[in-house]
Amino acid sequence: MGQVLLIAVFAVLFLRDSAPAPWFAPRSETVVAGITVGSMALIWAAAQALIWSQGRRMDRRGDLRAVGRCDAIVGVSRLTAVSVHAFCVLGLGWLDVVRGAVGDLVLVDELIAVLPVLLVFVGGWWSMYPIDRRLREAALIRDLDEGRGIRPMPSRAAYVLSALRHHAAMILLPVMAIAAWNELIERGSRSYDAPGWLPLLGLQVVGMGVGLTLMPAVLRRVWDTVRLGPGPLRDVLERMCHEHRVRVRELLVWRTHGTMLNGAVMGLIGPLRYIMLTDALLESLSGSEVEAVMAHELGHVRRRHMVWLGIAGLGSIMLAGIAAQVTLGRFVPGWEQRPWAQGAAFLPAMTLGLLVFGVVSRRFEWQADAFAAQHLSGYRLNGPVVAITAEAAGTMVGALAAVARLNHIPRQRFTFRHGSIASRQERLLALVGQPANQLKPDRQAGRWKIAAAIAICAAVLLSVRFGVS
């Protein structure tokens, strides 16, 4: 959910550039700045106080439910901060105030405008450090009993910097690159005779495509990664890539100082695609469980989940936004000049887009889990049909259990993009005995891909038919 909120932070700035004027702009720029910065400070201070009280509860009562409450507090504080940020930008004219002070410089004014809300995100990691430290210290005896290595807890500054690099950079860097490119195009079109909206749109799309294609090479440098060294594990993982016809530039160890157990795949094309497994994952999971996690990541590539997630989110936003514009245009003449009508067109579109993104993302996670079970059962592309074995499903279930345990995530906790660990385990166990080429997660994901394609095609046709953007 945090990644979606970071995108929304910049989407609000884009919407402000498309709107005619702030809704309730005060005359004093100092008042606007004070409301914006002060409200963000209050949001973080309230979250910090609540998290501190939950930490005290953990110390006094040993109540581990406080960890879930702290996560919820951070989530609510970020959602509140983004909502207040939207009001300050659209309603009070915070972006206009910043531009009045520093000028309309490429990306500079936008970065200053989003800095207060981004500091709330950083403050959330700063506040959660003592909670995570308590959990790490409580797990020391268990790690010693199980023979795992003990890593020192990073300092608070290193903890926050690591979270900023690994959680925020993957969204902020591509969004900022796209925003800067679009701003340069708009300035060029104003300085010279614009050839029309279609070539400009083409330049924007090409720039976005190039930026997203090259971004994995940048992120692997921003993140603390090193090449996975030669050995039996690398041989197994490279064989898996070959068997499933997934071209990968490099297999990387994602160094998190033992603070995160995860895997990730980045890159739309083979020459710039990286698969990363964290140090904690490689140290804590068995060989078969590491293979299951690797197969899960390869499933995302084989099923083209990144591309279809973008199509689903964009298609739903476009379709809902155009429908809202057409409806308002019929019943509210001059709606584009009315603040309440702009909100009426924008909010349903963004809300639907976020909901669809979450629903599709969870279905794709289930499909990637199923792909791991298919791989471990011996099913290969154009190979003989086999049934999902209990051992294959159990291995992936065990890998998910280890992820939950070592990341201190309750199995029942629901997350926006992945659902809960418990529900994913249940779905995996339900696959046992089924033909590997006729799995329910594959059918569900296929239907959502068809719906996404229909939505984006319908949005384009409606845009041409009714002449709306």
Side-chain angles (χ1 to χ4, degrees):
M1 187 63 175
Q3 297 170 352
V4 176
L5 291 177
L6 286 173
I7 295 175
V9 167
F10 283 87
V12 168
L13 302 185
F14 174 78
L15 182 64
R16 172 66 198 97
D17 285 332
S18 304
W23 302 343
F24 316 106
R27 295 183 179 181
S28 173
E29 296 180 348
T30 304
V31 171
V32 175
I35 293 174
T36 302
V37 177
S39 60
M40 297 301 170
L42 285 174
I43 292 170
W44 173 78
Q48 165 63 16
L50 292 172
I51 291 172
W52 178 85
S53 67
Q54 292 297 321
R56 295 279 291 177
R57 186 183 184 92
M58 291 177 64
D59 294 337
R60 293 174 178 174
R61 304 183 183 181
D63 185 3
L64 290 180
R65 291 176 298 179
V67 179
R69 298 189 194 103
C70 290
D71 285 334
I73 290 167
V74 171
V76 170
S77 70
R78 289 173 175 173
L79 179 60
T80 304
V82 173
S83 301
V84 172
H85 166 73
F87 172 77
C88 292
V89 170
L90 301 175
L92 303 182
W94 167 236
L95 180 59
D96 303 77
V97 170
V98 172
R99 285 174 175 168
V102 302
D104 190 5
L105 304 174
V106 174
L107 202 59
V108 174
D109 51 320
E110 288 84 359
L111 288 178
I112 295 175
V114 302
L115 183 60
V117 67
L118 292 184
L119 288 177
V120 174
F121 280 72
V122 175
W125 291 312
W126 190 91
S127 299
M128 283 296 293
Y129 175 81
I131 305 298
D132 197 30
R133 186 182 184 93
R134 288 179 175 91
L135 292 174
R136 292 279 300 273
E137 291 172 349
L140 285 177
I141 300 300
R142 183 192 66 194
D143 292 340
L144 288 171
D145 290 340
E146 295 179 359
R148 285 198 294 267
I150 303 299
R151 290 176 175 268
M153 182 70 181
S155 66
R156 198 170 207 163
Y159 178 87
V160 173
L161 179 61
S162 176
L164 189 61
R165 292 170 66 183
H166 295 150
H167 297 295
M170 66 180 299
I171 296 297
L172 294 179
L173 291 179
V175 169
M176 289 190 298
I178 292 171
W181 175 251
N182 288 342
E183 193 169 355
L184 287 172
I185 291 176
E186 291 174 2
R187 291 192 174 203
S189 67
R190 291 196 299 264
S191 301
Y192 304 97
D193 291 334
W197 67 270
L198 188 58
L200 294 178
L201 177 62
L203 283 174
Q204 289 178 328
V205 172
V206 169
M208 289 173 61
V210 172
L212 293 176
T213 300
L214 298 178
M215 194 54 61
V218 176
L219 284 174
R220 70 151 296 191
R221 303 296 179 185
V222 174
W223 293 359
D224 188 2
T225 63
V226 293
R227 183 177 184 271
L228 178 64
L233 177 61
R234 185 179 180 92
D235 293 341
V236 170
L237 300 184
E238 287 182 336
R239 186 189 73 243
M240 292 175 64
C241 294
H242 177 73
E243 288 177 348
H244 295 291
R245 301 180 188 178
V246 175
R247 186 178 178 186
V248 176
R249 175 66 178 266
E250 191 55 88
L251 301 174
L252 301 172
V253 179
W254 182 1
R255 297 187 293 193
T256 65
H257 308 289
T259 60
M260 183 166 54
L261 195 149
N262 200 5
V265 58
M266 293 192 307
L268 298 175
I269 60 174
L272 288 173
R273 181 180 294 126
Y274 302 89
I275 292 182
M276 295 170 291
L277 303 174
T278 64
D279 46 9
L281 183 145
L282 295 175
E283 294 170 0
S284 304
L285 269 59
S286 67
S288 59
E289 289 173 339
V290 172
E291 185 174 350
V293 174
M294 179 68 174
H296 174 96
E297 301 304 329
L298 293 177
H300 285 308
V301 179
R302 284 298 308 168
R303 307 308 185 201
R304 296 177 175 84
H305 286 165
M306 286 181 286
V307 174
W308 282 106
L309 263 179
I311 293 174
L314 183 62
S316 58
I317 291 174
M318 289 174 59
L319 190 60
I322 291 171
Q325 291 183 52
V326 171
T327 303
L328 286 169
R330 287 182 177 275
F331 297 101
V332 186
W335 69 273
E336 65 276 4
Q337 302 298 326
R338 303 185 184 188
W340 67 266
Q342 296 170 28
F346 170 73
L347 291 178
M350 290 302 298
T351 301
L352 179 63
L354 292 177
L355 291 175
V356 169
F357 183 88
V359 170
V360 175
S361 178
R362 293 191 291 274
R363 270 64 182 174
F364 285 175
E365 286 299 318
W366 301 343
Q367 189 180 32
D369 289 343
F371 188 92
Q374 289 169 327
H375 167 81
L376 294 172
S377 299
Y379 180 65
R380 297 295 183 270
L381 186 68
N382 298 325
V385 177
V386 298
I388 300 298
T389 66
E391 181 183 5
T395 300
M396 188 62 198
V397 166
L400 290 173
V403 169
R405 183 179 70 255
L406 298 174
N407 284 334
H408 312 296
I409 300 173
R411 291 176 58 253
Q412 301 294 339
R413 182 188 301 170
F414 175 84
T415 63
F416 181 72
R417 285 196 57 201
H418 299 89
S420 69
I421 295 290
S423 68
R424 291 170 63 182
Q425 291 174 321
E426 291 171 2
R427 292 175 186 279
L428 277 164
L429 294 176
L431 301 178
V432 175
Q434 296 185 20
N437 64 336
Q438 299 178 22
L439 299 183
K440 183 178 179 180
D442 289 333
R443 296 194 299 271
Q444 290 178 325
R447 287 195 291 266
W448 277 101
K449 290 176 182 178
I450 293 172
I454 292 174
I456 204 163
C457 291
V460 172
L461 293 174
L462 288 173
S463 179
V464 174
R465 169 65 178 81
F466 293 101
V468 294
S469 59

